[in-house]
C-alpha cells in the first residue's frame, strides 16, 4: 500500500467552469479512484486561484469586490465538481488564511536562501497570463505598436514596476540535473523535450512581486508588495498539504505523485515551481503530467471566443458517467483533441448503450426468464477467463501511464468479448441446465470484473451493476488485483434487471 497525492491546477475564478477544466479534473479523479481500488491512501486536491490583476479587473468590471467574485465563482467550481462525482479530498482557495501562512513561510525560505532580489523592471505584460513576455516571444501585429500575447493573441501592455525577482537563472544546471536523474518527471515525452529545450535555452530571472495593487499575499519581508499570482498559486500544492500549519501532514504527503496540468501551464509547473521548491529546500513533484487542449471548432475554449461548453449541459444529456467516459476514452492524454457532439453521442451509443448496457440487460433478462432471477457461478477455465486477465493487465498498465483511454480500451475489450461469447452460445435459446448456467455465470463474472475496472471512469453505473448483480458492498470497497481475479462471482445471488443503464441517444 502506498500514498498517492495528485493535484489539478487551481482554476481562475474570473471564469465559469467549462469542459476544459472538467477534463483535467475528471482525469485526476479517475486516476485517484484507480489508486484507491489498489488500496493506496489517496489525497486528491483541487481548488481556485483567486488573486492577481486579472481577478481585480474582472471584479471591477462587475462592480463587486474581488473577494465577492471569488466566493461566487469558487462555489461554481465546487458545484461543477459535485455534479461530475469528483471525489476530491480538499478544495483549496488561495484567499484562505492557511494559504497566506504557507505562501509567506515558503517565500521567506526562498528569500532567506538569497534567491530573491529587488530590481526595477519594465516589460511587456499580458494581464490574461499575468506574465511578462520577452520581445522574442511577442507576436508582431501590423499597425500595432506593441505586439500580441503569444497565448491569448491580445495586445500586451507596458508595465514598469519595482519588483522582487526570483533568481531562476541560478537553477538552470540544477534543473537539468534533476530531469537527468528523473526521466519520468515530465509526461509525456514530447512535453519533457519541450521543457528541457526551454531550460537549455537559458533561464531568465523572473519578476515575482507586484506593488501596484493589493489583491494578493503580502511579502513577509516587504509588505508594500504582494506575491505575483503564480508565486501565490503554485504553493497551493504545499499549503493544502499542511506546509504552513501541519508539518506531520506535510511530511506524509509531500512530494506529490502528479501535478496534472494543461500544456499551457507546463513552464510554470516544470521549470519555475521545481526551482522554487529546490530553493526552499523541498523536493520537486515526482511528475508533471501535461495534457493537450480540448478544442471546440478547432479553437481553444476561452471566454473571448465564446465557445465554452458548461459541463452541466452535457451531464443533462449524457449523465455523469456518459460525460466522464467520453472525456477519458476519447481524448488521449497528451495531444489536443477536438470536442465533437456527434463524436460524444456515437461513443456513448457504441460503448455504453450497445456494449456495456446491452451486455448487462441480455444477461439479466435470460437469468430472470430461465433461472428464476438467480445468477450462477462462472466456470474455471472459461473462454472468458483469459480475456478478463488481459483486461486487468491492460487497465493496470493504462492507468499507470497515465493513459485513461488505453485503460478503458482494454476494459471494453472484455465487454465486447463477453457479448461475442453470448452471441456464440445464444443462452436465450438454450434450455435451463448446467450448460446454460455456465455461460451465464461466465457473463456475470465478466460483468463483475468490468464493473471493478470501469469504476474509476463511471462510478455510478459501475456501482449500480455491482448492486444489481446481487453482490454485497460496492466496487469502491474492493481491492485490486485480488478482487478482479476470475471466479469471484459466487452464484446463488439474485440478479435485478432494472431499467436500461444507458438509454440509447439519437444524434
Ligand atoms: N490559475 C492557473 C493555474 C494555476 S495552478 C497553480 C490557470 N487557471 S485556468 O483556469 O486558466 O486554467 C487551468 C487549467 O484548466 C489549464 O491548464 C488546463 O488544465 C485546463 N484548461 C483550461 N482550458 C482548457 C481547454 N480548452 N482544454 C483543456 N484544458 C483546459 O491557468
Amino acid at each position: 500500500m502506498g500514498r498517492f497525492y495528485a493535484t489539478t491546477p487551481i482554476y481562475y475564478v474570473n471564469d465559469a467552469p467549462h469542459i476544459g477544466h472538467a477534463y483535467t479534473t475528471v482525469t485526476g479523479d479517475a486516476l485517484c479512484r484507480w489508486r484507491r481500488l489498489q488500496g493506496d491512501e489517496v489525497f486528491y486536491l483541487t481548488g481556485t486561484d483567486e488573486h492577481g490583476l486579472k481577478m481585480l479587473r474582472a471584479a471591477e468590471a462587475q462592480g463587486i469586490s474581488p473577494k465577492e467574485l471569488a466566493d461566487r465563482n469558487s462555489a461554481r467550481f465546487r458545484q461543477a465538481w459535485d455534479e461530475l462525482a469528483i471525489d476530491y479530498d480538499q478544495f483549496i482557495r488561495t484567499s484562505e488564511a492557511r494559504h497566506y501562512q504557507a505562501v509567506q513561510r515558503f517565500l521567506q525560505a526562498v528569500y532567506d536562501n538569497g534567491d530573491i532580489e529587488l530590481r526595477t523592471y519594465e516589460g511587456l505584460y499580458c494581464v490574461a497570463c499575468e506574465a511578462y513576455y520577452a520581445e522574442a516571444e511577442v507576436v508582431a501585429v501590423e499597425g500595432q505598436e506593441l505586439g500580441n500575447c503569444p497565448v491569448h493573441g491580445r495586445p500586451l501592455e507596458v508595465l514598469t514596476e519595482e519588483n522582487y525577482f526570483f533568481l531562476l537563472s541560478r537553477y538552470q544546471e540544477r534543473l537539468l540535473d534533476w530531469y537527468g536523474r528523473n526521466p519520468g518527471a515530465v509526461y509525456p515525452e514530447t512535453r519533457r523535450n519541450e521543457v528541457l529545450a526551454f531550460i537549455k535555452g537559458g533561464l531568465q530571472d523572473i519578476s515575482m512581486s507586484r506593488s501596484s495593487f493589493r489583491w494578493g499575499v503580502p511579502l513577509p519581508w516587504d509588505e508594500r508588495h504582494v506575491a505575483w499570482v503564480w508565486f501565490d498559486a503554485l504553493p497551493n500544492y504545499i499549503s493544502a498539504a499542511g506546509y504552513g500549519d501541519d508539518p506531520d501532514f506535510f511530511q506524509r504527503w509531500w512530494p506529490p505523485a502528479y501535478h496534472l496540468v494543461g500544456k499551457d501551464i507546463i513552464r510554470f509547473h516544470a521549470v519555475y515551481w521545481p526551482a522554487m521548491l529546490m530553493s526552499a529546500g523541498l523536493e520537486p513533484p515526482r511528475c508533471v503530467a501535461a495534457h493537450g487542449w480540448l478544442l471546440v471548432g478547432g479553437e481553444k475554449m476561452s471566454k473571448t471566443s465564446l465557445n465554452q461548453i458548461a459541463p452541466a449541459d452535457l451531464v443533462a444529456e449524457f449523465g455523469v458517467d456518459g460525460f466522464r467516459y467520453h472525456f477519458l476514452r476519447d481524448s488521449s492524454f497528451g495531444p489536443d483533441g477536438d470536442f465533437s457532439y456527434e463524436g460524444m453521442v456515437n461513443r456513448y451509443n457504441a460503448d455504453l448503450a450497445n456494449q456495456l448496457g446491452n451486455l448487462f440487460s441480455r444477461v439479466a433478462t435470460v437469468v430472470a426468464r430461465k433461472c428464476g432471477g438467480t445468477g450462477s457461478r462462472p466456470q474455471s477455465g472459461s473462454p472468458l477467463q483469459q480475456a478478463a486477465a488481459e483486461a486487468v493487465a491492460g487497465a493496470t498498465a493504462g492507468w499507470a501511464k497515465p493513459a485513461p483511454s488505453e485503460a478503458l480500451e482494454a476494459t471494453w475489450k472484455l465487454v465486447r468479448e463477453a457479448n461475442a461469447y453470448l452471441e456464440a452460445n445464444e443462452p436465450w435459446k438454450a434450455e435451463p441446465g448446467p450448460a446454460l448456467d455456465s455461460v451465464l455465470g461466465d457473463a456475470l463474472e465478466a460483468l463483475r470484473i468490468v464493473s471493478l475496472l470501469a469504476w474509476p471512469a463511471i462510478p455510478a453505473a459501475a456501482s449500480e451493476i455491482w448492486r444489481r448483480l446481487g453482490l454485497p458492498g460496492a466496487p469502491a470497497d474492493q481491492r485490486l488485483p485480488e478482487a478482479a481475479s476470475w471466479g469471484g462471482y459466487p452464484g446463488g445471488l439474485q440478479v435485478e434487471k432494472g431499467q436500461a443503464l444507458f438509454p440509447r441517444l439519437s444524434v
Side-chain angles (χ1 to χ4, degrees):
M1 197 181 108
R3 281 200 190 107
F4 185 75
Y5 174 23
T7 68
T8 73
I10 47 172
Y11 302 104
Y12 285 133
V13 285
N14 67 330
D15 214 352
H18 60 60
I19 56 173
H21 306 127
Y23 172 54
T24 317
T25 312
V26 165
T27 302
D29 182 68
L31 288 178
C32 285
R33 284 176 185 268
W34 180 259
R35 292 300 181 123
R36 289 193 170 104
L37 275 184
Q38 293 193 309
D40 281 357
E41 207 184 335
V42 170
F43 175 17
Y44 185 36
L45 174 69
T46 188
T48 43
D49 191 353
E50 308 187 355
H51 291 132
L53 191 52
K54 183 160 59 170
M55 297 322 134
L56 197 59
R57 289 194 179 164
E60 274 165 11
Q62 296 181 37
I64 54 175
S65 72
K67 182 69 168 68
E68 267 177 274
L69 175 79
D71 287 347
R72 192 182 292 171
N73 282 347
S74 183
R76 293 169 78 182
F77 277 94
R78 260 181 199 266
Q79 193 193 340
W81 304 156
D82 289 346
E83 286 164 2
L84 291 175
I86 306 298
D87 187 11
Y88 55 80
D89 296 281
Q90 281 193 39
F91 188 101
I92 180 114
R93 300 185 53 187
T94 55
S95 57
E96 286 175 57
R98 62 169 173 160
H99 179 68
Y100 274 60
Q101 201 176 324
V103 172
Q104 290 186 329
R105 185 165 163 226
F106 178 72
L107 294 180
Q108 186 70 51
V110 176
Y111 186 70
D112 292 345
N113 196 36
D115 286 331
I116 292 180
E117 214 174 80
L118 190 64
R119 293 181 191 164
T120 303
Y121 189 76
E122 182 179 274
L124 295 171
Y125 197 75
C126 171
V127 176
C129 293
E130 294 278 14
Y132 284 104
Y133 280 96
E135 292 284 357
E137 295 173 296
V138 171
V139 180
V141 181
E142 242 192 80
Q144 188 178 300
E145 195 193 333
L146 303 175
N148 279 350
C149 162
V151 174
H152 292 91
R154 297 187 0 198
L156 295 163
E157 305 176 23
V158 177
L159 223 64
T160 312
E161 279 190 292
E162 195 174 59
N163 286 172
Y164 282 95
F165 273 70
F166 172 59
L167 306 186
L168 180 67
S169 57
R170 289 185 175 174
Y171 285 86
Q172 183 158 345
E173 287 313 311
R174 268 175 277 185
L175 285 169
L176 288 175
D177 181 54
W178 163 258
Y179 284 120
R181 281 183 291 116
N182 297 278
V186 176
Y187 174 85
E189 183 88 20
T190 46
R191 300 285 169 224
R192 173 187 156 82
N193 295 339
E194 259 174 50
V195 165
L196 288 180
F198 179 75
I199 300 173
K200 285 180 187 152
L203 296 178
Q204 308 287 319
D205 297 336
I206 46 176
S207 156
M208 58 73 64
S209 76
R210 301 289 180 268
S211 54
S212 53
F213 59 89
R214 307 294 313 148
W215 180 236
V217 180
L219 299 184
W221 64 89
D222 185 346
E223 302 238 327
R224 295 170 306 157
H225 290 253
V226 293
W228 169 46
V229 70
W230 277 99
F231 272 65
D232 157 347
L234 289 161
N236 88 84
Y237 305 129
I238 57 172
S239 43
Y243 180 77
D245 58 359
D246 191 345
D248 292 340
F249 190 76
F250 187 71
Q251 180 74 25
R252 276 159 59 81
W253 291 104
W254 196 261
Y258 286 113
H259 286 320
L260 296 173
V261 298
K263 66 177 187 182
D264 46 335
I265 55 174
I266 191 149
R267 193 184 293 181
F268 300 100
H269 283 81
V271 182
Y272 301 177
W273 180 228
M276 289 156 69
L277 287 163
M278 286 175 186
S279 174
L282 299 175
E283 229 183 291
R286 297 231 163 80
C287 179
V288 175
H291 60 71
W293 286 339
L294 271 184
L295 308 175
V296 174
E299 269 192 70
K300 180 175 190 261
M301 253 174 304
S302 72
K303 250 177 116 124
T304 40
S305 13
L306 294 176
N307 58 356
Q308 294 189 345
I309 300 171
D313 292 345
L314 295 177
V315 169
E317 256 176 277
F318 296 88
V320 185
D321 289 329
F323 182 99
R324 295 171 58 107
Y325 185 76
H326 168 74
F327 288 102
L328 292 165
R329 175 64 185 83
D330 275 328
S331 333
S332 79
F333 194 93
D336 288 350
D338 234 314
F339 172 77
S340 123
Y341 181 80
E342 279 97 74
M344 190 166 179
V345 173
N346 290 340
R347 175 64 73 183
Y348 173 97
N349 282 337
D351 286 13
L352 298 177
N354 296 351
Q355 285 295 341
L356 181 56
N358 195 25
L359 175 64
F360 180 82
S361 87
R362 282 165 142 180
V363 175
T365 303
V366 183
V367 169
R369 256 200 232 135
K370 307 202 171 184
C371 312
T374 306
S376 44
R377 292 161 52 142
Q379 348 166 35
S380 78
S382 154
L384 286 180
Q385 186 166 350
Q386 179 62 22
E390 281 167 18
V392 175
T396 307
W399 289 113
K401 249 180 169 180
S405 61
E406 292 174 25
L408 294 173
E409 170 58 28
T411 305
W412 257 255
K413 190 156 179 263
L414 174 57
V415 179
R416 287 194 300 271
E417 296 198 13
N419 270 320
Y421 179 65
L422 292 182
E423 274 144 32
N425 287 284
E426 300 187 309
W428 39 85
K429 290 189 184 160
E431 292 302 319
L436 175 67
D437 289 348
S438 304
V439 170
L440 291 175
D442 291 349
L444 288 162
E445 174 63 344
L447 276 163
R448 187 190 69 87
I449 292 173
V450 166
S451 72
L452 283 174
L453 302 182
W455 177 75
I458 52 167
S463 305
E464 179 61 8
I465 292 173
W466 189 269
R467 193 191 65 74
R468 290 191 196 176
L469 291 176
L471 290 160
D477 321 319
Q478 309 303 309
R479 291 296 158 260
L480 295 180
E482 303 76 28
S485 50
W486 187 262
Y489 190 71
L493 302 176
Q494 275 308 109
V495 175
E496 179 188 321
K497 180 162 186 287
Q499 300 285 309
L501 288 163
F502 300 103
R504 259 190 83 83
L505 296 172
S506 45
V507 186

